[in-house]
Amino acid sequence: IGALSAAAATACRPAAKGPAASRDSLPRIRWNMATSWPASLDTIYGGAQTIAKRVAEMTDNRFEIRPYPAGELVPGLQVLDAVQSGTVQCGHTASYYYIGKNPALAFATAVPFGLNAQQQNAWLYHGGGLEAMQKLYSDFNIINFPAGNTGVQMGGWFKRQIKSVRDLNGLKMRIPGLGGQVMEKLGVNVQVLPGGEIFLALERGAIDAAEWVGPYDDLKLGLNKAAQFYYYPGWWEPGPTLDVLVNLSQWAQLPKDYQEIFKTAAYEANLNMLAQYEVLNREALATLKAGGTQLLPYSQEIIDAAKKVTFDLYAESASKDATFRGIYEQWNKFREEMHQWTAITELSYGNLVIPK
Ligand code: PYR
């Protein structure tokens, strides 16, 4: 017992340098963070703010990160470019905005008929996903970390009802990522606009339909004032991850403990955003319904056609590009196995408790 308590006393003794002394030895660092979001969307912009706030708190304000709304430092859809070139040290964005640079970047966010938030986190953190995405991002002199998730999204706002694939033909719709490519193959004229520009485009008739995230954000953007029919589910975004991107040269210059703090803050943003969306969407859906929004499911005809086009698109992209093929094949095996597990757990449980 004597030896044990001596060891315990040693373990509890403060280090030779007190906490104040060790804090003083931490460098002062200031970074800017470009984002793709309007500051009014406290949920998704909140992902950037969570990282900044928590990094500051964990370093006694010695490592300060200042997030900027879309358009203030760089346009909302050019965050990757700004981080790559070093115009900013880091950015908060959705990787699928950059599929023009490499279509496999879509897997970092979400792809049609892919993984929900829980499965996406499983793939990224423990299924080889984040390693694959970080390898891909290293080609851009960037390291990425998951830093937010919206949960399953809604399927978008339409000015008129769409019952069949024929109704999609020629429709101008705002929708990013591989979901946009699938819609294009179904006859849609696809536009990709940053979140802050959707309302005006829809309201003025520059587009006929738009998807953003879900009830809370869509209500804040006022999309319910520009269109009446609100479809579900967003089969192209079952659990999209938002990423924080860091310029690799800047990352390499960070002290190791700041790197660990940054990673911890990104984990926190990832978890916190999803919890926030679940709570807020629940309330906002009721508000939308009370305000006259018509909630409609996509028809089976549209879902079946979209599913076929999606898996044809994956096969086509895999045949053209070795990077896409490598990531897709690993991801698809994970997806198939994961869906079998989910069928007997989450889904069968949901069927027990959710009223029909
Ligand atoms: C979108 O751009 O549609 C997102 O869901 C972030």
Side-chain angles (χ1 to χ4, degrees):
I1 286 170
L4 273 182
S5 46
T10 311
C12 293
R13 199 178 296 145
K17 276 189 179 179
S22 60
R23 266 205 306 270
D24 287 344
S25 66
L26 293 175
R28 286 194 179 276
I29 294 180
R30 268 217 58 180
W31 276 9
N32 287 331
M33 182 188 278
T35 77
S36 299
W37 328 120
S40 60
L41 297 181
D42 55 325
T43 40
I44 204 159
Y45 188 66
Q49 289 174 310
T50 298
I51 295 174
K53 178 170 176 286
R54 296 297 290 139
V55 164
E57 284 169 356
M58 288 188 268
T59 60
D60 200 23
N61 292 318
R62 289 186 163 262
F63 183 9
E64 283 184 74
I65 302 171
R66 181 158 174 206
Y68 287 84
E72 283 200 14
L73 292 180
V74 294
L77 303 182
Q78 287 174 28
V79 172
L80 185 156
D81 311 63
V83 176
Q84 180 179 9
S85 67
T87 307
V88 285
Q89 294 87 357
C90 63
H92 193 263
T93 188
S95 296
Y96 68 3
Y97 292 151
Y98 312 101
I99 53 173
K101 298 178 192 296
N102 191 321
L105 285 170
F107 289 99
T109 314
V111 297
F113 301 104
L115 307 175
N116 68 20
Q118 184 166 317
Q119 298 165 339
Q120 174 78 354
N121 282 331
W123 182 64
L124 287 170
Y125 291 131
H126 291 288
L130 188 53
E131 273 163 74
M133 291 302 119
Q134 289 185 340
K135 183 161 180 291
L136 184 56
Y137 263 116
S138 68
D139 293 344
F140 299 90
N141 193 36
I142 284 173
I143 184 164
N144 68 303
F145 301 99
N149 196 303
T150 68
V152 185
Q153 295 199 355
M154 289 294 287
W157 295 89
F158 292 79
K159 291 198 180 220
R160 49 173 202 271
Q161 284 198 45
I162 40 145
K163 295 182 178 153
S164 64
V165 174
R166 202 164 353 108
D167 295 335
L168 290 172
N169 199 33
L171 206 76
K172 283 185 259 147
M173 179 175 184
R174 184 273 174 193
I175 171 172
L178 298 189
Q181 293 188 349
V182 171
M183 282 294 198
E184 217 154 53
K185 285 184 185 282
L186 294 174
V188 171
N189 177 346
V190 169
Q191 324 260 327
V192 184
L193 301 169
E197 294 175 24
I198 300 173
F199 171 74
L200 272 187
L202 191 61
E203 137 105 336
R204 292 185 179 169
I207 51 177
D208 311 304
E211 72 82 50
W212 172 244
V213 169
Y216 179 74
D217 279 14
D218 294 2
L219 186 64
K220 275 212 153 184
L221 291 180
L223 303 186
N224 58 315
K225 294 195 203 114
Q228 183 189 355
F229 302 104
Y230 198 22
Y231 277 83
Y232 64 88
W235 41 265
W236 52 89
E237 306 203 66
T241 300
L242 294 320
D243 274 300
V244 63
L245 311 183
V246 182
N247 178 285
L248 259 181
S249 321
Q250 295 290 332
W251 181 252
Q253 286 171 40
L254 280 185
K256 183 84 177 74
D257 45 1
Y258 282 15
Q259 288 185 350
E260 292 305 314
I261 284 169
F262 191 96
K263 285 197 262 180
T264 302
Y267 266 112
E268 188 170 324
N270 197 30
L271 177 63
N272 189 55
M273 190 191 294
L274 181 61
Q276 209 182 356
Y277 266 120
E278 288 291 288
V279 167
L280 297 170
N281 281 333
R282 183 196 51 140
E283 293 165 357
L285 183 64
T287 310
L288 286 173
K289 285 205 281 195
T293 289
Q294 290 206 40
L295 209 55
L296 295 166
Y298 274 110
S299 67
Q300 197 59 43
E301 187 207 313
I302 292 179
I303 295 290
D304 290 346
K307 212 181 269 181
K308 170 149 189 359
V309 167
T310 294
F311 286 90
D312 288 351
L313 176 73
Y314 295 152
E316 186 190 322
S317 305
S319 73
K320 281 198 223 144
D321 183 284
T323 308
F324 190 98
R325 183 165 60 248
I327 293 170
Y328 171 66
E329 284 176 356
Q330 189 274 342
W331 171 91
N332 200 34
K333 184 167 181 296
F334 183 93
R335 181 189 68 86
E336 282 169 358
E337 291 167 359
M338 191 45 100
H339 283 170
Q340 285 177 29
W341 167 239
T342 302
I344 60 164
T345 51
E346 306 292 330
L347 287 185
S348 69
Y349 176 70
N351 285 335
L352 285 183
V353 294
I354 296 173
K356 294 278 181 298

